[in-house]
Amino acid sequence: MPARTVLRQRDARRDLSQALVQLELGLREERDWSELQRLFPQAWESRPDVGDQVQRLRKELALLAQDGADVPFLRQYLKALRSQNAESLAVELHRRLQTVATEALREPLSAEHRALMKRIERARREARRVQGLATGADPQVAFDAARKLVQDYPDVPSALDQVSLTVEIRSNPPGALVRWRGDSMQFRTPFEVEVPLIETRQLELDREGYKPYRAQINLQTLDSPRPVFELTPGQEERE
């Protein structure tokens, strides 16, 4: 092999080695992708002994740059969404995974998606257990379990939507006419109704000689499965 060719190969390997060191440093320091790509000029693809490797590196860096452009947005977006709604976040991650170009981004997003799906399934399983308590357990046990479900999984609304419990509406004094969800009932307190865990329902209590009681309630707004609503003496104020 001519000496000049050997020298060109040696110089090419040396330049590539130095560029790889700079690439490793640049990745650690999170330098701009365009700066990292410039470490491997396109002209190097025709250099002896290293051309194929340089070509692969340039293609890989281009894909990393494509994914890297999304990373700052994803960091902020996922951080905000993670604390609000795990299900919406899981849908967004699944959508993003369809467009990811590199394993460097696909692997952490996939891991995050798997963890979210496990959390969602745990929440739904616990919701089914809580709803089951409503038929056989002491009402207070079911009520406490439902409240804990909200504390543990506030970001999984589909699980919370599954739960509603029978609540005995009481008033002081008793005997108030019940209007539930806008419908008049020919029943007076104490009276049992199905109250959802998170969605609100309209409750109205009317008793002669007392001001009407109006409230939007769900299980989170109540202090027990047998809440007592205090009625105030007087007449309804009319405009």
Side-chain angles (χ1 to χ4, degrees), residues 11-207:
D11 290 345
R13 288 195 295 269
R14 182 200 62 209
D15 291 344
L16 177 60
S17 177
Q18 291 174 348
L20 287 171
V21 171
Q22 291 300 312
L23 174 62
E24 183 178 358
L25 261 172
L27 290 171
R28 290 179 183 177
E29 297 171 358
E30 298 187 357
R31 293 181 194 166
D32 185 80
W33 286 106
S34 60
E35 179 183 349
L36 298 179
Q37 286 176 294
R38 286 196 295 271
L39 293 171
F40 304 91
Q42 187 173 4
W44 284 12
E45 293 183 13
S46 60
R47 297 182 77 173
D49 203 35
V50 301
D52 290 345
Q53 188 175 356
V54 170
Q55 188 177 42
R56 289 194 300 272
L57 278 167
R58 285 178 54 80
K59 287 181 179 178
E60 185 176 351
L61 283 173
L63 293 175
L64 287 169
Q66 176 183 323
D67 282 348
D70 276 346
V71 169
F73 165 78
L74 283 170
R75 282 176 178 168
Q76 295 302 316
Y77 181 78
L78 300 185
K79 180 180 178 181
L81 198 56
R82 185 179 289 111
S83 63
Q84 297 173 8
N85 191 316
E87 293 165 306
S88 295
L89 179 54
V91 170
E92 177 64 17
L93 283 176
H94 179 74
R95 187 180 71 82
R96 291 276 173 174
L97 281 167
Q98 310 313 305
T99 61
V100 167
T102 64
E103 286 301 316
L105 185 56
R106 180 178 289 105
E107 194 281 329
L109 288 187
S110 295
E112 176 84 5
H113 185 261
R114 288 193 299 271
L116 281 170
M117 295 308 296
K118 287 180 180 178
R119 174 174 175 79
I120 292 167
E121 180 52 39
R122 284 197 304 270
R124 291 173 178 171
R125 188 166 56 245
E126 180 62 13
R128 291 192 292 270
R129 186 188 74 84
V130 171
Q131 191 61 54
L133 289 174
T135 60
D138 179 272
Q140 187 65 51
V141 172
F143 181 82
D144 292 341
R147 296 287 291 269
K148 188 175 187 302
L149 181 67
V150 177
Q151 295 173 6
D152 293 345
Y153 299 101
D155 55 341
V156 190
S158 69
L160 306 183
D161 280 338
Q162 294 179 34
V163 178
S164 62
L165 302 179
T166 299
V167 170
E168 186 178 68
I169 301 295
R170 301 179 177 187
S171 65
N172 184 27
L177 187 66
V178 177
R179 183 185 293 267
W180 180 245
R181 301 180 68 177
D183 297 327
S184 294
M185 299 180 177
Q186 298 305 311
F187 298 99
R188 296 183 179 274
T189 55
F191 182 71
E192 292 185 345
V193 294
E194 282 291 313
V195 179
L197 179 53
I198 56 174
E199 186 179 348
T200 59
R201 294 285 188 267
Q202 181 182 351
L203 171 67
E204 301 178 26
L205 301 174
D206 288 291
R207 193 178 192 281

Side-chain angles (χ1 to χ4, degrees), residues 205-207 210-214 231-232 234-237:
L205 301 174
D206 288 291
R207 193 178 192 281
Y210 291 82
K211 293 181 180 180
Y213 182 91
R214 307 285 186 268
L231 303 182
T232 303
Q235 297 297 323
E236 182 176 9
E237 296 180 2

